[in-house]
Amino acid sequence: MPPRPAPAPRQSPPPPPPPPRPPAPEIDPRASEDAEVALAEAERIIATCDPAHHYRIWLAALDRLPRNMADFRGRVLNIRDTAIGDLSDLPDLPEVVTLQLGEREVDLSVLDRLPGLGRLEAWTSTIRNLEPVTDCPRLADVAINVARVADLSPLAHLSMLENIALWDYAGQPLWEAGVPRHFSTPRKPTGTLDPRVFASWPNLKVLSAYEGPGLSAPLPALPQLELLQVTESRPEDFAALPHFAALETASFTNCGIADAGLLAGLPKLERVRFTDTAIGDLSPLRECPVLRDVAATRCTVSGIAGLLDHPRLKRLDLEQCGIEDISDWGPSEAVESLELAGNPIRDISSLRGWPNLRALNLKQTKVTDPAQAAPLPMLQYLTLSGTPIDRLDFILAFPALGSLGVSGTAIADLSPLARHPNLLRDGAYSWREGVMHHVGFEETPAQAVYPELVAAIDGKDGWPRQRAMREYFGLPEKWP
């Protein structure tokens, strides 16, 4: 007989997972309005908490640093909205990774006591000298208000920088050979930044430029950049955009960019937004292979027809773009959300049969018969507030409809709601869970016609509101 095979070795069961760590303790600024009580609580937490679990301390309720601050072993130090005016007593805190500052003048010289700092948040702080940032070579994320900073050159020493957001700059030109800076009111330039600074940031992925008058020199090629936000600029400032190969999100506000073709073909671009910009024809964006979200608000848009057949485009927002006629629009197989609010559109028959359209915003348009677009088999959200509609019969043409907004219209008769198969369901508790069923009819004649219904739903939302409406119309509690 052949020998029996050796038995397989027995495998021991896997060890049980470690117990979850308790939530990190915080000093809640709402816990006490008494600064002395808050200070005592801060010192107690620092003294008694396990350093492995002591992650964050929030000093917003305090007027001075805790006496045992040197024992803090957390990673986040939040002194936003604090009454602490002097940080000179801050001890060395090598484990702090994030520093969050508030709306007051801040002396950054204390940064030399935070050698492990990787993120600095000072959106609303008044800062005059950036030289201390050179003591934090690990800084990778900087979001600061530089309205009073005369010299931005210390930022060039941050070789690990990945994310920079400069806010409300008022001291010098926004761009010096492609370097972002901000201001809210023009001032005489007081400093310069070496134009080679971008070469010092080889890992830069996010460049945000808010609330400024624009660029004074062209944006250089940044092939590693993933997110770009700029405000106020000239057409020539964007000549290098075709070289932004890693760009995923782009936002242009009040910019001179007038050719969407500069973005055409970018292989990773997913989201693009234009605001108060004469962008013209959006059709060239059809060449961005993974594009899924396009928004143009208060823009001059001359054409989008070539964009509608993009196989991945999910959201199209064209709010207040002066569009009067969409009759030349072809069908879109992919678009799920369409925003046309604020455009003087009357005829929407070209939307008929869009198979995946789930949300349609026609607020403040001139549409009188939404049923022109039927059938829209997937339509769940429809907003018609401020339009000239005066009847609700059209809702029966959209059986999947779950949320309807008709505020500010001439609607007086709500009885069609009781005949709709879906509108008065309970729905989901949040949009992440599904359709949030809701019917809004504020500022309509219906409020005077149905005073008992208005009283029944007053102060209610979600399923309590839906059930109150079903009860008023004599529908079953669980319906349909």
Side-chain angles (χ1 to χ4, degrees):
M1 294 180 60
R4 293 184 179 180
R10 297 182 62 182
Q11 295 183 352
S12 59
R21 286 186 175 183
E26 289 190 8
I27 301 168
D28 192 334
R30 299 165 295 184
S32 174
E33 296 181 359
D34 188 324
E36 292 299 325
V37 173
L39 182 65
E41 177 65 6
E43 293 174 350
R44 184 193 67 79
I45 290 178
I46 292 174
T48 61
C49 282
D50 179 356
H53 299 161
H54 197 175
Y55 175 72
R56 177 191 302 266
I57 185 169
W58 196 338
L59 302 181
L62 309 186
D63 58 2
R64 61 186 182 275
L65 290 171
R67 288 185 294 267
N68 60 346
M69 193 67 199
D71 297 330
F72 176 62
R73 293 296 180 266
R75 296 169 60 82
V76 179
L77 179 60
N78 185 331
I79 50 178
R80 189 179 294 157
D81 303 321
T82 181
I84 300 173
D86 183 8
L87 294 176
S88 60
D89 293 335
L90 189 72
D92 291 344
L93 298 174
E95 297 184 36
V96 168
V97 175
T98 298
L99 176 62
Q100 298 169 326
L101 301 172
E103 190 172 351
R104 60 174 55 249
E105 184 158 347
V106 177
D107 181 2
L108 294 182
S109 61
V110 298
L111 293 184
D112 63 351
R113 301 162 204 182
L114 307 173
L117 195 66
R119 178 177 177 83
L120 174 62
E121 298 180 18
W123 289 101
T124 57
S125 305
T126 299
I127 299 171
R128 300 183 185 277
N129 181 17
L130 286 177
E131 186 64 31
V133 302
T134 59
D135 293 320
C136 300
R138 298 183 183 180
L139 266 177
D141 192 334
V142 175
I144 54 176
N145 171 19
V146 289
R148 299 292 185 272
V149 179
D151 180 15
L152 295 179
S153 62
L155 295 174
H157 295 273
L158 303 179
S159 59
M160 298 182 68
L161 198 65
E162 296 181 3
N163 183 342
I164 186 166
L166 302 179
W167 178 271
D168 193 28
Y169 186 69
Q172 53 193 356
L174 276 182
W175 288 76
E176 189 75 28
V179 178
R181 319 198 189 153
H182 297 259
F183 67 95
S184 56
T185 56
R187 298 186 179 188
K188 182 179 179 180
T190 58
T192 59
L193 184 63
D194 190 331
R196 296 170 293 181
V197 66
F198 281 106
S200 302
W201 301 335
N203 300 316
L204 189 67
K205 293 180 173 60
V206 176
L207 173 59
S208 301
Y210 301 112
E211 300 286 331
L215 315 177
S216 62
L219 187 68
L222 298 171
Q224 81 284 6
L225 201 71
E226 296 176 1
L227 185 148
L228 173 67
Q229 295 176 320
V230 291
T231 303
E232 303 258 0
S233 54
R234 308 163 303 176
E236 59 267 28
D237 294 326
F238 301 105
L241 280 178
H243 304 288
F244 283 46
L247 194 64
E248 297 176 2
T249 300
S251 175
F252 306 91
T253 300
N254 200 16
C255 288
I257 182 171
D259 181 10
L262 292 171
L263 299 168
L266 290 182
K268 295 186 177 181
L269 188 64
E270 296 183 9
R271 294 169 294 274
V272 60
R273 171 174 289 276
F274 305 98
T275 305
D276 297 314
T277 297
I279 187 57
D281 189 3
L282 295 175
S283 299
L285 297 176
R286 174 68 176 79
E287 303 305 318
C288 300
V290 298
L291 189 68
R292 58 185 178 87
D293 189 336
V294 175
T297 302
R298 299 185 303 275
C299 292
T300 302
V301 175
S302 60
I304 69 157
L307 182 62
L308 293 177
D309 61 351
H310 194 297
R312 296 198 179 188
L313 185 64
K314 300 298 181 184
R315 180 176 179 268
L316 181 60
D317 183 346
L318 299 171
E319 185 175 349
Q320 299 181 54
C321 287
I323 300 173
E324 299 182 4
D325 183 13
I326 61 172
S327 60
D328 62 338
W329 287 17
S332 173
E333 299 290 329
V335 171
E336 298 178 357
S337 176
L338 178 62
E339 299 267 348
L340 293 172
N343 292 295
I345 298 170
R346 298 178 184 273
D347 184 1
I348 58 171
S349 57
S350 60
L351 304 181
R352 185 180 299 129
W354 285 28
N356 291 301
L357 190 63
R358 288 171 167 79
L360 177 59
N361 187 348
L362 298 171
K363 181 179 179 180
Q364 299 292 338
T365 64
K366 296 184 178 181
V367 172
T368 58
D369 181 15
Q372 294 172 336
L376 292 175
M378 301 295 290
L379 189 66
Q380 299 169 337
Y381 296 88
L382 178 59
T383 304
L384 292 158
S385 302
T387 62
I389 62 169
D390 57 7
R391 297 173 61 85
L392 282 181
D393 295 341
F394 67 87
I395 63 175
L396 301 178
F398 306 109
L401 199 61
S403 180
L404 175 67
V406 292
S407 301
T409 66
I411 296 294
D413 180 14
L414 298 180
S415 61
L417 295 176
R419 304 197 304 272
H420 193 276
N422 202 39
L423 266 172
L424 297 185
R425 287 190 179 193
D426 286 348
Y429 287 94
S430 75
W431 62 269
R432 293 181 179 88
E433 300 171 357
V435 180
M436 295 180 65
H437 290 237
H438 181 85
V439 177
F441 57 96
E442 296 78 8
E443 301 179 15
T444 64
Q447 290 193 304
V449 176
Y450 299 89
E452 295 179 0
L453 174 60
V454 173
I457 64 176
D458 184 40
K460 297 178 181 176
D461 207 349
W463 64 262
R465 177 187 173 100
Q466 294 293 95
R467 291 184 182 181
M469 294 188 72
R470 291 201 299 270
E471 182 178 354
Y472 178 85
F473 287 111
L475 299 173
E477 180 178 352
K478 293 188 179 298
W479 178 86

